[in-house]
Amino acid sequence: MRTPLPIILPVDMHQVKGFLADDEAAALYQAALVASKKAPIMEIGSYCGKSTIYLGSACKASGGVLYALDHHRGSEEHQLGEEYHDPDLFDGSAGLVDTFKEFRRNMREAQLEENVIPIVASSGLASRGWSTPLSMVFIDGGHSMEAAMTDYQSWAGHIIQGGTLAIHDLFPNPSEGGQAPITIYRLAIASGLFEEIDVINTLGLLRRL
């Protein structure tokens, strides 16, 4: 059984909104600590910044940089009337979910404003003309098949040889969760460009060949 490594952070992570298990967080941190020494890291789907804090703290420790990409309008399940809707993150004046204010506050409290570069845009839009090689891509954005495929097709090709592709919310059993993340995970392996490193809880780690 895996025991998460202790990670000392300047914020109480139990108070940060998000959906990341402790063992997944520890695995992300360790992967980012190694990868960020080679090139920047890209996170797709920041929400309020829980995973961003782990990835960003690893970048801070190694002197690296994290791009945190999110349109900050919430995924399908965060919308009004849906299962994971949070009224505290709903902008009534605009009639839209808005997680960016919460995200910025969390980055400030985690002392990561000099290591995390927010990109407020859709994944497809941000990828247009992107040319910076990436040492690691963490996909945890929208869980519809269209959104997951866009994330994979837009960003996996920018990962350097030996770099890491991490995908969250892998559920082999459809009764346990949506199938889009595990579909792109299997596509990455089937492409012959990636090999499996490990699966921790619902987090899959792949290496670019």
Side-chain angles (χ1 to χ4, degrees):
M1 181 178 296
R2 298 177 181 277
T3 301
L5 298 174
I7 303 169
I8 307 302
L9 299 172
V11 291
D12 180 359
M13 294 305 294
H14 294 99
Q15 300 302 314
V16 180
K17 297 176 187 289
F19 312 92
L20 191 68
D22 289 345
D23 54 353
E24 296 169 342
L28 272 183
Y29 180 90
Q30 295 301 325
L33 193 62
V34 174
S36 58
K37 296 175 183 177
K38 304 172 185 176
I41 289 174
M42 172 67 73
E43 173 187 53
I44 304 166
S46 302
Y47 192 52
C48 295
K50 190 161 195 169
S51 57
T52 318
I53 291 174
Y54 286 102
L55 293 168
S57 295
C59 289
K60 183 176 183 177
S62 69
V65 169
L66 171 67
Y67 293 102
L69 169 61
D70 198 309
H71 48 56
H72 288 285
R73 293 304 186 189
S75 299
E76 301 84 0
E77 65 271 19
H78 301 141
Q79 303 308 312
L80 191 64
E82 298 299 323
E83 182 178 4
Y84 291 102
H85 177 71
D86 185 338
D88 291 340
L89 301 174
F90 188 73
D91 181 352
S93 62
L96 296 167
V97 171
D98 188 351
T99 59
F100 191 50
K101 182 178 180 180
E102 183 82 0
F103 173 86
R104 290 296 302 267
R105 182 178 68 82
N106 287 331
M107 292 307 102
R108 183 174 64 254
E109 293 187 356
Q111 301 168 24
L112 290 174
E113 291 181 303
E114 297 300 315
N115 303 91
V116 174
I117 303 172
I119 302 176
V120 183
S122 68
S123 180
L125 176 60
S127 71
R128 295 180 190 174
W130 186 272
S131 59
T132 302
L134 301 168
S135 64
M136 179 175 175
V137 170
F138 174 47
I139 297 179
D140 192 22
H143 286 15
S144 69
M145 193 63 71
E146 179 183 3
M149 287 297 295
T150 296
D151 292 342
Y152 171 66
Q153 293 172 347
S154 297
W155 297 102
H158 294 290
I159 302 173
I160 62 175
Q161 185 176 16
T164 302
L165 174 61
I167 301 175
H168 193 220
D169 289 333
L170 304 183
F171 296 106
N173 186 343
S175 67
E176 296 177 350
Q179 295 298 285
I182 200 165
T183 296
I184 62 171
Y185 185 80
R186 290 167 174 164
L187 279 175
I189 295 173
S191 73
L193 297 175
F194 294 90
E195 64 178 0
E196 189 172 70
I197 302 172
D198 204 355
V199 176
I200 303 92
N201 202 341
T202 72
L203 174 70
L205 298 175
L206 301 170
R207 179 184 293 110
R208 177 70 187 262
L209 297 173

